[in-house]
Amino acid sequence: MPGEEPRRHAGRPPGQEAESEVVITGLGATTPLGGDVAGTWEALRSGECAVRPIGQEWAEEMGLPVRIAAPLAVEPADVLSPKEQRRLDRSSQLALIASREAWAQAGSPDVDGERLAVSIAPGMGPVLSVMEAWDALRERGPRRVAPTAVPALMPNSPAVAVGIELGARAGIHSPVAACASGAEAIAHGADLISLGRADMVLAGGTDAALHPMTVAAFAAMRALSTRNDDPAGASRPLAADRDGFVLGEGAGVVVLESAGHARARGAHPLARLAGWALTADAMDVARPDPTGAQQERALRQALDQAGLAPGELGHINAHATSAGDIVEARVIARTAPGAALSATKSATGHLLGGAGGLEAVLAAMAIVEEFLPPTLLPGGIDPEIADLGLDVVGPDGREAPGLASAASTSF
């Protein structure tokens, strides 16, 4: 993909973006389907599902009611130095891997550090480092708590790891917002460019929270699927018998850049970030407002900023966790009724804070590759959702020649 001419964008011919508009010049990811964007995309297109039994002994030893997950396809130890593995929480490791890929695709530009920012957020934060420090204290005493524990367990440590490596002095940000963290981080990065505070921003989300405490806590909320005997069929967004999400881990990062800056250095945008919006239900910490009013307001605001009428949106990568699917489906039916809908968590599981980053990458890839990623649908489609008339992309995916616009929602 590096060096390719950009595909057709909504509202303006390629190469005609205004100087201050935000374009995407690099994509990076490490996910349960692959160790990079290409591997993830190929596995997704092939209809693979990353959900499998948890390999660690604690899943059985602790009697957890959930013993399935979507772990990484490629371990960080395979690509990072021993020093990076020791000093960084796993969530920071994933952010660094994804950012390096995205930065390389953007051309590893020689950019003024005072015009470069980072906006990368976890949803859960460095859970593993917190638990490891506690285990060390409890089992071996205070002298065995690592001096790197505090830097590793800070919620902004993934962004800091990336920012230090690249010398990003225009700001290093972590707008944590649970499952919307990655998407909100991208929106914040776009704001930095639109406000003139940066020329380039590495933005996205990351999370690595596969730990017995986390699994037990989500299970206690009844948020996780308990289909331990059917891993490949457990993550079933949009199905009538959906029973919760499957916990995954991973990161997705985009390089955002002002169109003028990209043009000046001869970079070819992959896509244009035409619109974004943030709202809040302000109702409950986990359950969505059943009316979906604020979800709808966010989507309408993003479409309006992009200059798209609701019926003009070509594709939407839905949040679709197997929890609030009905609410979201109704919102999409009201707001973007003609958009082809993909629910890629059916293949990847739910990456928590990493989900918004990865699904933004996948939305951009849908435009670049002119292909709509599949929804695996092991349980079919809920009749209540089917009655809304949504155009759900099936397990084979779908060619989409001329696809000009795509959206990603994270609620």
Side-chain angles (χ1 to χ4, degrees):
M1 292 189 316
E4 288 187 352
E5 292 294 331
R7 301 287 187 178
R8 183 162 58 94
H9 305 307
R12 187 176 289 110
Q16 299 299 312
E17 296 88 355
E19 293 289 295
S20 61
E21 286 185 330
V22 180
V23 295
I24 298 172
T25 54
L27 304 172
T30 182
T31 77
L33 287 173
D36 54 18
V37 172
T40 298
W41 184 253
E42 182 58 33
L44 186 62
R45 283 194 62 151
S46 300
E48 295 182 22
C49 180
V51 181
R52 55 186 183 269
I54 296 174
Q56 288 92 329
E57 294 180 354
W58 49 256
E60 293 288 346
E61 291 176 351
M62 295 190 173
L64 296 175
V66 175
R67 299 184 298 281
I68 54 174
L72 288 177
V74 177
E75 279 296 310
D78 295 339
V79 293
L80 296 180
S81 71
K83 180 179 179 181
E84 289 167 336
Q85 295 170 56
R86 287 194 307 271
R87 295 177 67 90
L88 299 175
D89 179 80
R90 188 174 175 91
S91 64
S92 299
Q93 294 173 21
L94 307 192
L96 193 60
I97 291 167
S99 295
R100 285 173 174 171
E101 181 187 10
W103 192 245
Q105 187 180 26
S108 301
D110 183 13
V111 60
D112 178 0
E114 294 186 0
R115 302 297 300 164
L116 173 65
V118 171
S119 179
I120 295 176
M124 294 292 292
V127 172
L128 302 188
S129 289
V130 173
M131 300 310 297
E132 287 168 4
W134 169 245
D135 288 343
L137 173 63
R138 184 184 58 184
E139 296 169 6
R140 293 179 288 170
R143 293 182 178 273
R144 302 310 298 269
V145 175
T148 56
V150 169
L153 59 79
M154 294 188 301
N156 66 333
S157 59
V160 168
V162 175
I164 288 175
E165 175 161 291
L166 295 177
R169 296 188 293 277
I172 299 175
H173 308 273
S174 294
V176 176
C179 300
S181 295
E184 184 158 331
I186 292 172
H188 181 68
D191 282 340
L192 291 174
I193 292 172
S194 295
L195 292 169
R197 294 178 180 172
D199 294 323
M200 299 185 73
V201 182
L202 279 91
T206 184
D207 252 326
L210 285 179
H211 185 277
M213 181 276 293
T214 311
V215 173
F218 275 122
M221 291 176 64
R222 298 187 179 179
L224 299 180
S225 172
T226 57
R227 286 187 167 87
N228 297 313
D229 297 330
D230 182 22
S235 184
R236 48 179 64 196
L238 311 182
D241 59 349
R242 58 193 181 277
D243 67 333
F245 67 82
V246 174
L247 184 60
E249 56 180 352
V253 172
V254 299
V255 176
L256 304 177
E257 191 167 356
S258 72
H261 188 269
R263 190 176 297 116
R265 68 181 187 88
H268 295 296
L270 302 169
R272 180 164 62 96
L273 184 53
W276 58 94
L278 308 174
T279 61
D281 286 348
M283 189 197 79
D284 184 83
V285 72
R287 293 179 294 110
D289 174 0
T291 72
Q294 297 308 314
Q295 294 183 17
E296 181 171 347
R297 187 166 72 97
L299 188 50
R300 287 190 183 278
Q301 286 181 354
L303 290 172
D304 184 64
Q305 182 182 0
L308 289 170
E312 292 178 328
L313 181 62
H315 170 57
I316 188 163
N317 192 314
H319 187 52
T321 63
S322 302
D325 297 7
I326 287 285
V327 174
E328 183 180 15
R330 289 172 180 159
V331 166
I332 293 170
R334 294 194 300 266
T335 312
L341 186 156
S342 296
T344 53
K345 289 184 179 71
S346 59
T348 66
H350 189 355
L351 310 190
L352 304 179
L358 173 60
E359 288 156 20
V361 168
L362 298 179
M365 284 294 290
I367 293 174
V368 170
E369 297 292 320
E370 297 182 333
F371 184 85
L372 307 177
T375 306
L376 298 187
L377 298 176
I381 300 177
D382 186 334
E384 187 174 354
I385 293 176
D387 287 345
L388 296 171
L390 297 174
D391 179 15
V392 177
V393 180
D396 295 329
R398 186 189 307 166
E399 298 291 339
L403 179 66
S405 57
S408 174
T409 57
S410 295
F411 297 129

